[in-house]
Amino acid sequence: MSPAQDGAGWERMLAELLPHSRAVVAGHCGTLPMWVEGLGGRLLDGNCGIASDSRATMSRRIQVIDSHTEGEPTRVVVAGGPALAPGPARARAAVFEREYGGFRSTLLAEPRGFPAMVGALLLPPDAPEAVAQVLFFNNVGTLPMCVHGMLGVGRTLAHLGRIEGGIHRVETPAGDVHFTLEPEGTISVDNVPSRRVRRGVTLQTADHGPVTGDVAWGGNWFFLVDAHDQPVTARRIPALTAFARDIRGALERAHIAGDDGRPIDHVEIFGPPERDDADSKSFVLCPGGEYDRSPCGTGTSAKLACLYADGRLAPGQRWRQESVIGSVFEGSVRTTEAGLVPTIRGGVWITGETVLVVEGDDPYAEGIRW
């Protein structure tokens, strides 16, 4: 039985996360705090989760599990997050985006985080068939979907003993996805349906001349570039970042967006692989200006959609995408009534079980922000 199918399941689930703490979720309050109106806002009651140190300052605590997926970090919030009203993931994400920027930057900005980290807020699901609802966020805002983060969520739930092997449904702002915890412990994600919407779009960049690429959706919007003169190697990450930023600037000037009107905020640059067991190597610029250490699961999904549209990838055929640091995702596609569904598999490792502390007089309680 999933936590969603048991009325008290979510409260029990979070109360059992770590052996020495009770947790809070959906209006329940234990020894950890509930953020109700964002950092600095009113607590659920007068003293829930408040601790005083020798300086008599108020402190708040957020319980997280950290992991990395093929090098890219994920921070899953399991207690102490915002008390969002029940509802669909997209609606909850809109509230989180609008009202909880301080909470987001507390977790991901220095000194508690760093810009490449992606957050995942674990919430009770809206539908009883789902095991959880997850909102993903980065250093500048929310994300409709994050495959490396979903792999991290699956590994986190398994690490905490809250799920067993098999297929698990999760609600996200981009739509419902499924992850599979396989017998050998590996995890794969069946992503949202992915598609290419424009092929061969030529941009005039400010510093790198004309650049041609495709526009595709893989849970986020991507501009994918195969034809260029930039070697895709880890030693050239600063140059690749500048190139990708130049492309994104050209997209903005040309007013090119996804077919739903949302901006194309990810740029993916491809080159030949360095590993013998990979088909391609890529550099991915994320919305906040950081590069993805993993091969980027939504970016790989967008790549698979382009390959399928070009007749270069058959359903079930495996594609191994190498990241700029040398890690690999394995992907394939299948056709469904809803569209082309990519499956992405990658390695995930737990890196920490942490209670973040936010002291009331900390001048960087919401992180270092520019």
Side-chain angles (χ1 to χ4, degrees):
M1 178 178 293
S2 74
Q5 295 168 309
D6 178 352
W10 267 86
E11 186 176 5
R12 287 202 307 271
M13 169 181 164
L14 295 182
E16 297 169 1
L17 288 174
L18 293 179
H20 303 299
S21 66
R22 286 169 57 222
V24 292
V25 68
H28 298 285
C29 194
T31 60
L32 299 177
M34 173 69 75
W35 275 352
V36 179
E37 294 176 345
L39 196 65
R42 176 179 60 83
L43 287 173
L44 192 61
D45 63 40
N47 56 16
C48 173
I50 297 177
S52 295
D53 64 10
S54 60
R55 295 178 298 169
T57 58
M58 308 290 270
S59 63
R60 299 179 180 179
R61 290 168 169 78
I62 312 154
Q63 192 168 346
V64 301
I65 304 294
D66 288 342
S67 64
H68 79 84
T69 305
E70 299 293 350
E72 181 74 356
T74 304
R75 172 162 284 173
V76 179
V77 180
V78 296
L84 300 176
R90 185 174 295 181
R92 279 169 140 182
V95 173
F96 184 84
E97 176 84 32
R98 184 175 64 249
E99 299 182 11
Y100 293 99
F103 177 82
R104 175 182 54 76
S105 62
T106 293
L107 264 68
L108 301 187
E110 297 178 37
R112 295 169 188 84
F114 72 108
M117 183 174 281
V118 171
L121 179 61
L122 195 63
L123 295 169
D126 195 41
E129 298 81 11
V131 70
Q133 185 179 108
V134 179
L135 307 183
F136 294 108
F137 52 97
N138 62 10
N139 60 330
V140 293
T142 58
L143 295 165
M145 177 54 189
C146 179
V147 170
H148 101 260
M150 185 59 66
L151 288 163
V153 166
R155 181 70 179 89
T156 294
L157 292 175
H159 172 73
L160 295 169
R162 302 314 308 170
I163 59 170
E164 297 179 350
I167 301 173
H168 302 277
R169 173 178 159 185
V170 180
E171 299 166 348
T172 80
D176 289 359
V177 301
H178 296 80
F179 71 82
T180 302
L181 182 60
E182 297 166 350
E184 62 273 23
T186 58
I187 302 174
S188 62
V189 171
D190 290 343
N191 195 15
V192 295
S194 301
R195 62 190 186 276
R196 182 173 68 189
V197 298
R198 296 184 66 177
R199 181 176 186 271
V201 177
T202 300
L203 306 169
Q204 187 62 46
T205 67
D207 300 320
H208 296 84
V211 175
T212 300
D214 295 351
V215 176
W217 168 260
N220 296 296
W221 282 109
F222 287 83
F223 191 77
L224 302 95
V225 180
D226 285 299
H228 57 84
D229 60 359
Q230 301 285 323
V232 180
T233 67
R235 293 185 299 276
R236 301 194 71 261
I237 285 172
L240 290 165
T241 299
F243 181 45
R245 283 180 177 273
D246 200 15
I247 291 170
R248 195 159 65 191
L251 287 165
E252 293 171 359
R253 290 192 300 274
H255 304 291
I256 295 173
D259 61 8
D260 58 2
R262 284 186 285 191
I264 300 168
D265 52 8
H266 291 72
V267 176
E268 193 160 15
I269 301 162
F270 296 91
E274 294 187 282
R275 292 175 52 143
D276 293 337
D277 61 349
D279 297 291
S280 170
K281 186 164 187 170
S282 61
F283 170 90
V284 179
L285 181 71
C286 300
E290 282 291 323
Y291 73 93
D292 200 322
R293 277 70 170 162
S294 80
C296 186
T298 54
T300 299
S301 297
K303 175 67 171 179
L304 297 179
C306 293
L307 291 168
Y308 178 82
D310 287 336
R312 297 172 55 197
L313 187 75
Q317 181 181 347
R318 294 182 179 181
W319 179 270
R320 290 179 59 83
Q321 186 63 55
E322 182 182 0
S323 76
V324 71
I325 69 167
S327 56
V328 170
F329 280 162
E330 183 177 279
S332 62
V333 297
R334 57 187 173 88
T335 57
T336 71
E337 291 183 359
L340 189 74
V341 173
T343 298
I344 307 296
R345 178 179 287 103
V348 191
W349 293 266
I350 299 294
T351 59
E353 299 175 333
T354 305
V355 176
L356 301 175
V357 176
V358 185
E359 294 189 319
D361 64 349
D362 184 350
Y364 299 109
E366 294 187 353
I368 301 171
R369 305 171 77 180
W370 290 273

